[in-house]
Amino acid sequence: MYRATNETTRNWQNTSVWLRGLFMLLFGFIGGFARFLVTIIAVFQFFSLLLTRKANAPLKSFGESLNNYIYQINQFLTVNSEQYPFPLSSWPDEKPVYRYSPRD
C-alpha cells in the first residue's frame, strides 16, 4: 500500500507547480489556436501564389514569427524551457535555436 511521506505532501502543496500546470493548460489551448492560424496563413499564401505568383511578404514574416511562437510554446509545454511564452514574455521575432543531436 502507498504511504504518503512529508516530501510527497509538500510536492502536492507546491503552488508554483500547480501554477505552471495551469499555464501549461492555457498555453496548450493558445498553441492549438496558433496552429489553426498557420493553416489560415497557408490558405492565404496559396491564393497569393495563385493570383500573383508571389508570396505575401508580411504574411510570410508573420508566419515565421508565429512558427517561432509555437516552438516557444512547445518548449514550455514539454518542460524544455522555464521561460513563459508571450504574453508573459516578448513576442519571438528571431529564429529559434533548434537543438538537434543525432542518435548514436
Side-chain angles (χ1 to χ4, degrees):
M1 183 170 173
Y2 178 75
R3 185 176 254 180
T5 63
N6 286 340
E7 185 178 337
T8 305
T9 304
R10 280 190 297 247
N11 289 342
W12 278 95
Q13 294 173 346
N14 189 340
T15 56
S16 66
V17 173
W18 285 103
L19 185 61
R20 183 184 174 99
L22 180 67
F23 278 111
M24 288 173 79
L25 187 63
L26 175 69
F27 282 115
F29 286 114
I30 292 172
F33 180 71
R35 285 184 275 287
F36 175 72
L37 281 178
V38 167
T39 303
I40 299 298
I41 290 170
V43 169
F44 278 111
Q45 287 290 45
F46 170 74
F47 283 112
S48 178
L49 289 170
L50 192 63
L51 298 173
T52 65
R53 291 189 175 195
K54 293 190 295 189
N56 182 304
L59 268 183
K60 189 175 175 183
S61 176
F62 177 67
E64 183 175 21
S65 68
L66 187 59
N67 284 328
N68 293 340
Y69 179 55
I70 292 169
Y71 176 74
Q72 190 181 63
I73 288 174
N74 288 337
Q75 287 293 93
F76 177 74
L77 291 178
T78 58
V79 194
N80 285 301
S81 172
E82 294 300 319
Q83 179 183 1
Y84 284 77
F86 178 83
L88 301 176
S89 66
S90 62
W91 180 263
D93 52 5
E94 72 277 348
K95 291 187 178 188
V97 178
Y98 296 101
R99 289 182 230 136
Y100 172 75
S101 58
R103 293 182 184 173
D104 291 329

